[in-house]
């Protein structure tokens, strides 16, 4: 039983929102690559939940992540146009306070991430930023662990090429 639910009472959506909204937003942002749309998705998921009885689920966090994911891909399917490349796109990655000298590298990483298909961007986000295992990602994305591992591997290969590190092997990277 979640700490946000009483023994017989309803879910405390405010407490749940405070705990998971930032993580859900970052997940939506990595899929959509659009901050406003990511905010809308998280808002819409919580608004829909507030308007009805919360389903009886083992983990409200997992339920919300799945709902956000589904809403993101629904929005992607509905998009009829894309902003042209090279426009002033909002940041996907948050700048670290002490990383002012790494601004150009952060921009290069963002551009490389934007070049990935949403499904690969999502797997990279869940693995790298959320720390989920391939098995956990498979559960979130409702795909096989092999599909998740392939998406991650293809994404990492594309990122290496985009960042000019295509000849770098994982062992070389770890020794840095």
């Amino acid at each position: 039983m979640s700490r946000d639910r009483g023994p017989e009472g309803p879910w405390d959506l405010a407490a749940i929102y405070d705990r998971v909204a930032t993580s859900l937003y970052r997940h939506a942002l990595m899929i959509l690559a659009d901050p406003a749309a990511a905010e809308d998705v998280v808002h819409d998921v919580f608004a829909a939940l507030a308007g009805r009885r919360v389903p009886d689920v083992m983990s409200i966090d997992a339920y919300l992540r799945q709902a956000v994911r589904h809403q993101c891909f629904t929005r992607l399917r509905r998009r009829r146009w894309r902003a042209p490349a090279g426009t002033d796109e909002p940041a996907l990655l948050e700048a670290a306070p002490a990383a002012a000298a790494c601004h150009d590298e952060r921009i290069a990483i963002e551009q490389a991430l934007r070049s990935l298909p949403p499904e690969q961007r999502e797997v990279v986000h869940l693995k790298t930023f959320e720390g989920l295992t391939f098995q956990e990602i498979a559960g979130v994305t409702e795909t096989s662990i092999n599909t998740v591992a392939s998406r991650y591997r293809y994404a990492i290969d594309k990122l290496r090429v985009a960042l000019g590190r295509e000849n770098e092997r994982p062992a070389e990277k770890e020794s840095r």
Side-chain angles (χ1 to χ4, degrees), residues 46-113:
F46 273 94
L49 208 53
R52 63 185 171 87
R53 188 170 184 266
V54 178
D56 188 23
V57 293
M58 292 294 287
S59 168
I60 190 68
D61 295 12
Y63 174 83
L64 289 169
R65 184 173 298 277
Q66 196 69 9
V68 164
R69 181 180 191 278
H70 284 292
Q71 187 71 19
C72 286
F73 281 100
T74 297
R75 279 184 182 245
L76 285 175
R77 282 189 298 274
R78 290 182 183 160
R79 280 188 183 165
R80 294 178 189 219
W81 59 272
R82 288 185 162 268
T87 60
D88 289 334
E89 296 173 323
L92 285 179
L93 303 173
E94 298 171 14
C102 299
H103 177 73
D104 291 340
E105 188 172 300
R106 185 179 64 80
I107 298 300
I109 292 169
E110 274 196 31
Q111 288 174 342
L113 283 169

Side-chain angles (χ1 to χ4, degrees), residues 36-55:
E39 286 178 10
D40 289 346
V41 163
V42 173
H43 176 266
D44 291 350
V45 166
F46 273 94
L49 208 53
R52 63 185 171 87
R53 188 170 184 266
V54 178

Side-chain angles (χ1 to χ4, degrees), residues 9-162:
W11 292 100
D12 182 353
L13 289 181
I16 295 168
Y17 182 88
D18 289 343
R19 188 180 73 247
V20 300
T22 301
S23 174
L24 293 175
Y25 167 77
R26 284 193 297 254
H27 186 176
L29 177 61
M30 200 53 68
I31 295 170
L32 297 170
D34 179 347
E39 286 178 10
D40 289 346
V41 163
V42 173
H43 176 266
D44 291 350
V45 166
F46 273 94
L49 208 53
R52 63 185 171 87
R53 188 170 184 266
V54 178
D56 188 23
V57 293
M58 292 294 287
S59 168
I60 190 68
D61 295 12
Y63 174 83
L64 289 169
R65 184 173 298 277
Q66 196 69 9
V68 164
R69 181 180 191 278
H70 284 292
Q71 187 71 19
C72 286
F73 281 100
T74 297
R75 279 184 182 245
L76 285 175
R77 282 189 298 274
R78 290 182 183 160
R79 280 188 183 165
R80 294 178 189 219
W81 59 272
R82 288 185 162 268
T87 60
D88 289 334
E89 296 173 323
L92 285 179
L93 303 173
E94 298 171 14
C102 299
H103 177 73
D104 291 340
E105 188 172 300
R106 185 179 64 80
I107 298 300
I109 292 169
E110 274 196 31
Q111 288 174 342
L113 283 169
R114 284 182 188 282
S115 72
L116 298 175
E119 294 84 359
Q120 290 177 7
R121 220 175 22 238
E122 176 188 30
V123 171
V124 168
H125 169 76
L126 292 172
K127 180 75 173 148
T128 306
F129 297 105
E130 300 291 332
L132 299 181
T133 65
F134 285 152
Q135 186 68 46
E136 292 168 329
I137 296 169
V140 167
T141 61
E142 296 178 332
T143 56
S144 75
I145 193 168
N146 292 335
T147 299
V148 169
S150 293
R151 286 178 181 169
Y152 185 77
R153 186 181 71 245
Y154 293 141
I156 295 302
D157 288 347
K158 288 177 185 177
L159 291 173
R160 279 192 187 118
V161 169

